[in-house]
Amino acid sequence: MNELLHTLSIIGLTGLKAIGVILLTDFASGIIHWLEDSYGKPTWPFFGKRVIVPNIEHHFFPRKFTKNSTFSRNTATLTIALLAGVVVALFGAFNVWWALALGIGAFANEIHCWAHRTPKENGRLITALQKIGLLQGVKHHGRHHTDPKNRTYCTITNYVNPFLDGMKFFQ
């Protein structure tokens, strides 16, 4: 009996850690998104043309980027995740939690893309995960595209934005 309780407590703690990592990754996606929107300049070397210009266009034509390939939508986040993974590994800190965070962060823009697509385009699994809020849904993310456009920056789940928006964190 003690062994069963010990196993269940390990499973529960592991689940809580995973949820914490997902929420922290969502928060990080919001910080990056806010920095892009608030301070990004199209004239910046390298990032201006590759990140800031498409981001600006996205706010005028939200569904346009859904027509691009998965790779082109996620090149910047994949690059950032790979570089962060190398740095974390060089410090000897790479573990399963970093792998989870960097894996989700690498595809944060894909999850963002799904929040601009219809349930038919997304399929049953993604739509179900959006309905429970584990993946950000269309209605939730739509708040970011309405004036005053200074809220709902986190792009992964439906759970971090209400807390941050309530605090007026990004304003």
Side-chain angles (χ1 to χ4, degrees):
M1 184 64 166
N2 282 342
E3 193 173 312
L4 176 63
L5 288 175
H6 178 71
T7 301
L8 290 175
S9 69
I10 289 173
I11 292 170
L13 287 173
T14 301
L16 288 174
K17 284 181 184 178
I19 290 168
V21 167
I22 292 166
L23 296 176
L24 284 170
T25 304
D26 194 17
F27 177 66
S29 81
I31 295 291
I32 292 168
H33 189 178
W34 172 74
L35 288 169
E36 288 174 2
D37 283 8
S38 301
Y39 300 103
K41 302 280 186 245
T43 56
W44 282 357
F46 190 76
F47 286 105
K49 181 179 173 185
R50 290 171 182 82
V51 176
I52 305 305
V53 170
N55 188 51
I56 292 169
E57 288 175 354
H58 170 68
H59 285 94
F60 288 100
F61 307 102
R63 280 192 45 91
K64 183 179 177 185
F65 88 126
T66 66
K67 307 304 179 201
N68 298 337
S69 71
T70 300
F71 182 75
S72 68
R73 276 192 299 271
N74 295 283
T75 302
T77 52
L78 280 165
T79 303
I80 291 167
L82 286 171
L83 292 172
V86 168
V87 170
V88 169
L90 287 173
F91 282 98
F94 196 83
N95 57 35
V96 67
W97 306 114
W98 275 107
L100 178 61
L102 295 172
I104 292 170
F107 291 97
N109 212 34
E110 193 64 18
I111 297 166
H112 176 200
C113 174
W114 299 337
H116 286 282
R117 297 188 332 183
T118 66
K120 185 177 180 181
E121 290 171 306
N122 283 334
R124 289 182 181 167
L125 177 61
I126 292 170
T127 301
L129 292 172
Q130 287 176 325
K131 284 183 179 180
I132 62 172
L134 190 56
L135 295 178
Q136 189 169 93
V138 174
K139 184 177 178 183
H140 180 91
H141 180 65
R143 293 181 194 119
H144 177 71
H145 288 276
T146 59
D147 288 331
K149 293 185 176 84
N150 61 357
R151 59 188 173 169
T152 318
Y153 283 97
C154 301
T155 60
I156 297 170
T157 75
N158 287 351
Y159 300 117
V160 178
N161 283 316
F163 177 71
L164 296 176
D165 291 348
M167 293 174 35
K168 300 184 188 306
F169 184 84
F170 292 113
Q171 296 175 23

